[in-house]
Amino acid sequence: QVQLVESGGGLVQAGGSLKLSCAVSGGSLSNYRMGWFRQAPGNEREFVAALDWSRGNTYYANSMRGRFTISRDGAEKTVYLQMNGLNPEDTAVYYCAAGWNNGVYVAKAVQAYSDWGQGTQVTVSS
C-alpha cells in the first residue's frame, strides 16, 4: 500500500496548460502501475493515462493522446501529468492512483488500482 498526494490543479483558460504532480510514499513501486483518472460532476471516473513504474510503458485514453503526457521521477517518487491544449471539457477532479500490476486488469480499468489520492481540481474557462 502506498499513499498518494496530488497537487498542481487550478484555474486555467482554454488553450492553456497545467502540470499535475502526484507524490508517492509508503513503499516500493517495483511492478506498480500508476494512473491518472478524472471525474466531472455527474460523470463516472474516467481513465486519463497510466505508466508502468519499472518499465516506463505508458498508456493514454484516446481523447488525451497527444495533449497529455504522463511521466515519473524515480528519485522524487513523483508522477506527473502534463496537460496541454486544455478545453472546458477537461474540467474535473483529477485523481492519482496506484496498483500492483498483476496482469489481470488493463491500464484503463479502475479495478487495476488499489490506492487513490484525494484529487485535485482542474477548471478550464472558455
Side-chain angles (χ1 to χ4, degrees):
Q1 186 176 7
V2 297
Q3 291 76 47
L4 309 171
V5 178
E6 303 99 332
S7 61
L11 174 65
V12 64
Q13 289 187 336
S17 299
L18 279 176
K19 187 173 185 177
L20 306 182
S21 300
C22 174
V24 186
S25 62
S28 171
L29 295 179
S30 177
N31 207 40
Y32 260 72
R33 176 169 287 164
M34 306 299 299
W36 284 99
F37 287 75
R38 69 185 186 184
Q39 189 167 17
N43 291 355
E44 294 185 352
R45 194 160 295 192
E46 177 186 24
F47 172 72
V48 175
L51 175 150
D52 292 333
W53 185 268
S54 297
R55 297 182 179 180
N57 296 343
T58 57
Y59 313 86
Y60 293 94
N62 288 337
S63 61
M64 287 71 161
R65 191 181 302 274
R67 295 193 301 130
F68 293 4
T69 302
I70 188 170
S71 62
R72 73 191 188 292
D73 183 326
E76 297 292 330
K77 288 187 73 174
T78 301
V79 180
Y80 301 101
L81 183 69
Q82 175 67 47
M83 305 186 293
N84 299 326
L86 288 164
N87 57 65
E89 289 71 35
D90 295 315
T91 295
V93 177
Y94 284 70
Y95 296 92
C96 181
W100 178 261
N101 186 8
N102 57 13
V104 174
Y105 296 106
V106 296
K108 65 180 181 179
V110 172
Q111 300 91 331
Y113 304 90
S114 55
D115 303 307
W116 294 82
Q118 81 287 352
T120 185
Q121 176 71 46
V122 171
T123 303
V124 185
S125 62
S126 58

